[in-house]
Amino acid sequence: MKIVVIKNKFLLPVFIITICVLSFGIYHFSYLYMNVLPTSSFEENTFQDKITNLIYQKDKIAYLTFDDGPTLKSTAKILDILSEENVKATFFVIGKHVKEHPELVKRAYDEGHYIANHGYSHNNDKLYASLDSFINEILSTDREIGKAIGIENYSSHVFRFPNGFMSPIYKSKKQEYVKHLSDIGYTYIDWNVLNKDSEKKYSHTELLNNLKTSSRNKGTLVILMHDTSDVNETHLVLKDSILYLKEQGYIFQNFYDLKGK
Ligand SMILES: [Zn+2]
């Protein structure tokens, strides 16, 4: 009887240790397996999914996006402020403007900003004339970006529809053509915050207040601004906008951070 009791006393710890060793082994094997397996296509799909889901995330991360440039009036000033504040942003460039000012795109790229695609002409009649012209607007913009930054076969993989996908303008064409973005390795993104700088009617204080109102009670922010010459001067409120968001606990990222570059 005594012998049986002693055996049972040993059995329980041995059983627990065995379970622990087995669990650790399974966990360790899974960890190695998960970290060795990913291929480039797997990562690419993950990137597209992350872009699609970005505006629904809860983390306090701000993605500044500047549309419609580059322009002589605004882009360099914006780059100066981003550099001073150590913020990396994303530029949705227009192909024809890249052709006019490739040096500004090269500077933005060299300073770590993400160069994304906003179409070649920003002219909806041309963009939506046919599926071919839609695809061609994106690919020809990529070619201009590639020439500007010295990378052959450049693809930004991220498109923003002029006026946004959410706008009712050319809605049915957008719904039809959006299905073909994945054929060329693309996805699209709108925004969930804006300072309304394209409405050309707000003072600098109002632009900043628009940003505060629009970003209130949101997690991850994808912020629409413009680096153009025909809208309010966002570069004059950019520093204060960045400082406000930093005060609110935001960190800044761009789409490279989603690629794990
Ligand atoms: Zn635009």
Side-chain angles (χ1 to χ4, degrees):
M1 190 63 185
K2 268 188 174 178
I3 291 169
V4 171
V5 171
I6 291 166
K7 270 188 179 172
N8 280 343
K9 275 184 181 172
F10 278 108
L11 271 177
L12 187 60
V14 166
F15 178 72
I16 290 169
I17 289 166
T18 306
I19 292 295
C20 288
V21 168
L22 279 175
S23 303
F24 177 77
I26 290 165
Y27 170 78
H28 192 63
F29 177 76
S30 307
Y31 179 80
L32 286 175
Y33 187 73
M34 293 301 287
N35 280 278
V36 167
L37 260 191
T39 63
S40 57
S41 63
F42 174 76
E43 283 168 1
E44 206 56 62
N45 288 336
T46 303
F47 173 71
Q48 311 292 5
D49 291 344
K50 284 178 184 171
I51 291 286
T52 303
N53 294 318
L54 203 52
I55 58 173
Y56 307 110
Q57 302 307 305
K58 299 285 175 228
D59 309 307
K60 293 192 91 170
I61 301 173
Y63 293 81
L64 288 176
T65 67
F66 297 94
D67 284 16
D68 297 357
T71 65
L72 288 177
K73 184 183 177 190
S74 181
T75 306
K77 290 169 187 161
I78 284 174
L79 288 171
D80 289 345
I81 295 163
L82 294 174
S83 174
E84 283 165 27
E85 292 299 322
N86 196 25
V87 167
K88 305 298 182 203
T90 297
F91 289 82
F92 282 92
V93 297
I94 294 175
K96 67 179 182 180
H97 294 328
V98 178
K99 190 170 188 167
E100 290 161 359
H101 309 297
E103 71 288 351
L104 290 170
V105 177
K106 173 96 168 80
R107 180 184 162 193
Y109 179 78
D110 288 347
E111 293 181 6
H113 304 294
Y114 195 103
I115 311 299
N117 197 315
H118 198 37
Y120 195 86
S121 66
H122 211 278
N123 178 327
N124 285 328
D125 291 338
K126 286 185 185 173
L127 184 62
Y128 302 116
S130 67
L131 177 59
D132 278 352
S133 67
F134 176 74
I135 297 295
N136 193 42
E137 285 250 351
I138 296 172
L139 297 183
S140 57
T141 299
D142 272 345
R143 278 195 292 277
E144 286 303 334
I145 298 169
K147 272 193 255 174
I149 64 178
I151 293 180
E152 239 178 292
N153 302 319
Y154 176 85
S155 173
S156 86
H157 298 293
V158 189
F159 179 65
R160 177 172 280 162
F161 290 84
N163 317 110
F165 184 76
M166 66 179 105
S167 114
I169 300 167
Y170 281 89
K171 191 76 185 173
S172 63
K173 289 278 188 185
K174 282 189 278 199
Q175 284 171 336
E176 183 187 340
Y177 294 168
V178 73
K179 297 173 198 157
H180 297 274
L181 281 178
S182 61
D183 299 344
I184 54 169
Y186 258 82
T187 188
Y188 77 95
I189 189 166
D190 277 349
W191 55 87
N192 63 351
V193 174
L194 73 175
N195 67 356
K196 302 184 181 176
D197 62 354
S198 65
E199 294 183 26
K200 308 178 205 176
K201 62 180 183 185
Y202 295 108
S203 69
H204 298 150
T205 307
E206 286 170 330
L207 284 176
L208 188 56
N209 284 335
N210 290 343
L211 175 77
K212 290 177 182 178
T213 305
S214 182
S215 60
R216 191 165 297 145
N217 299 324
K218 287 180 180 162
T220 297
L221 312 178
V222 178
I223 303 167
L224 172 66
M225 293 180 176
H226 295 81
D227 57 327
T228 56
S229 52
D230 64 341
V231 295
N232 273 4
E233 297 173 311
T234 270
H235 62 269
L236 294 177
V237 292
L238 181 58
K239 197 169 183 99
D240 285 343
S241 303
I242 290 171
L243 293 176
Y244 167 76
L245 291 167
K246 283 181 175 174
E247 271 171 27
Q248 297 299 306
Y250 278 91
I251 61 162
F252 290 84
Q253 291 191 350
N254 70 14
F255 297 161
Y256 282 129
D257 295 291
L258 302 175
K259 279 193 159 181
K261 184 190 168 188

